[in-house]
Amino acid sequence: MIIDRRTLMMSTAGLVLAAGARPASAQGAVAVRVGFVPVIGASALYVMQASGMAEKDGLKLALTKFDSGPNAIQALASGTLDIMVIGVSPIAVAKSKGIDVSVAASGAYGGSAFAAGPALDKAFKEAGGDPAKAFAAFRAANGRPAKLGTLPPGGVPTVALHHWLWKVGKVDKADVQIVAMGIEAVQQAMLTGAVDGGTLLEPSVTIVTDRDPRIKRIAVATEMFPQIPGVVIAVSGAFLKAQPDAAERFVAQAIRATELIKSAPDKAAPYVNAVLGGGLVSESLMAAALKSPAVKFETDPRVTAAATAELLAYQVELGDFPAAPKTEGLFDMALYERAAKRAAAN
């Protein structure tokens, strides 16, 4: 489903978006090295790249895909990334360890959902949607706990799953078996029936339920963990010091791209599909994923700032890290406000 970096960096001539982009400066485009995790919450980045918005505004984006936020953090620490579009937790941990990075904007809230295969879906229907009763009934009927696929520990979708199971649903831990695997692996495991249910990120939620209508979405991330942060845009301190105007332009373009996604998802879908679809997903299916209740696109970081402390505190409870990283200084509200004014003016 995901195209490789070489394909991603090929010319996107012919993809045009008249969204207030300005011509490149006379001094030439500023190179911006961006690390991202291939999820729908990062769609503003895909629109900026595939539509040519960034290039027209004097930003030459070089995108590098990572399978997880922690891997992207390692690249940031080595000085090979300027901006990251990933989950907020790895950014908070990096900041607490002395890495000079700050969150300049949000990308989206949520972004994932829990889906159930036919047998588990049947149990949920018979239990009236009650997670504890559904998983207990599944175990009684099948003689084993339900096998659930999710991302490795520390990933925000995995945190949401645990919160939903233990805090919201009050599920007996004996009734489930959680297996950690990669983003694409969960999708394949759901389609082949290797797991009974799993945490899927969009557009995988839409893709899986379209390919096998017997698989049903049971709960979305914001139901599993209210106001759970999703993807954020983080800027390295070094890049902000060296290229403050370029950093501001990047965030402003992300704001414009997000407005397109929210107001006209059908128009944004081809650009998102150019990065996430890999030629295997129709534009209509990608548009459906952009409209999914599993993801809420929003750039204002204030809601994310309030929810991040709660998220990190729960991750301590899960054992993801011994103490919650402090969130003071994590969010650069001033940069966002300047970028928002720039976006509104163009």
Side-chain angles (χ1 to χ4, degrees):
M1 182 185 75
I2 308 301
I3 60 177
D4 60 28
R5 185 185 176 195
R6 180 177 180 274
T7 303
L8 177 61
M9 296 308 299
M10 292 176 65
S11 170
T12 55
L15 292 173
V16 180
L17 178 66
R22 301 174 305 169
S25 64
Q27 291 78 19
V30 176
V32 187
R33 303 166 300 175
V34 186
F36 75 102
V37 175
V39 296
I40 208 162
S43 289
L45 174 64
Y46 314 147
V47 172
M48 292 165 61
Q49 171 74 358
S51 71
M53 283 178 68
E55 185 178 0
K56 291 178 182 178
D57 203 14
L59 302 175
K60 185 178 180 181
L61 306 186
L63 307 192
T64 302
K65 181 184 72 176
F66 293 90
D67 290 331
S68 69
N71 288 339
I73 291 296
Q74 291 180 6
L76 175 72
S78 70
T80 59
L81 292 177
D82 303 312
I83 289 176
M84 293 188 299
V85 187
I86 63 173
V88 69
S89 293
I91 302 296
V93 173
K95 184 82 170 182
S96 72
K97 293 182 177 180
I99 297 176
D100 191 4
V101 62
S102 57
V103 175
S106 294
Y109 302 114
S112 65
F114 180 80
L120 185 56
D121 176 58
K122 179 176 181 291
F124 265 90
K125 287 177 179 175
E126 293 176 349
D130 184 304
K133 292 180 180 178
F135 284 112
F138 179 92
R139 184 184 182 194
N142 294 275
R144 61 175 178 82
K147 188 175 182 180
L148 310 181
T150 191
L151 303 187
V156 173
T158 301
V159 177
L161 175 64
H162 282 282
H163 189 271
W164 180 62
L165 290 173
W166 321 132
K167 298 293 186 179
V168 178
K170 309 296 184 183
V171 174
D172 188 329
K173 292 187 177 181
D175 291 336
V176 299
Q177 175 191 0
I178 299 175
V179 181
M181 54 186 75
I183 295 173
E184 294 181 21
V186 179
Q187 176 178 317
Q188 292 305 313
M190 285 295 301
L191 289 171
T192 60
V195 295
D196 304 299
T199 302
L200 295 167
L201 288 82
E202 285 288 9
S204 290
V205 183
T206 300
I207 293 169
V208 166
T209 54
D210 177 76
R211 290 182 181 174
D212 187 347
R214 300 175 304 161
I215 298 173
K216 303 296 184 181
R217 186 181 65 220
I218 301 297
V220 299
T222 50
E223 296 171 329
M224 299 164 77
F225 195 127
Q227 297 292 354
I228 190 165
V231 169
V232 297
I233 297 171
V235 183
S236 77
F239 183 73
L240 187 57
K241 291 183 181 72
Q243 298 286 353
D245 186 68
E248 186 177 311
R249 275 185 280 151
F250 185 97
V251 177
Q253 290 289 9
I255 293 171
R256 295 189 189 109
T258 300
E259 287 306 310
L260 178 73
I261 294 166
K262 292 166 66 175
S263 64
D266 291 337
K267 292 182 179 179
Y271 307 125
V272 177
N273 206 39
V275 178
L276 284 187
L280 302 176
V281 181
S282 68
E283 290 180 4
S284 61
L285 199 61
M286 191 62 71
L290 291 173
K291 301 172 190 175
S292 168
V295 59
K296 178 183 178 183
F297 293 99
E298 178 58 63
T299 56
D300 191 329
R302 284 174 290 190
V303 176
T304 298
T308 296
E310 184 179 353
L311 173 71
L312 296 173
Y314 185 60
Q315 288 192 258
V316 172
E317 188 175 333
L318 290 177
D320 290 343
F321 29 76
K326 295 184 181 300
T327 57
E328 289 81 2
L330 178 62
F331 294 85
D332 191 339
M333 300 298 186
L335 174 55
Y336 176 79
E337 290 171 1
R338 293 194 303 273
K341 290 179 181 178
R342 185 190 287 254
N346 290 280

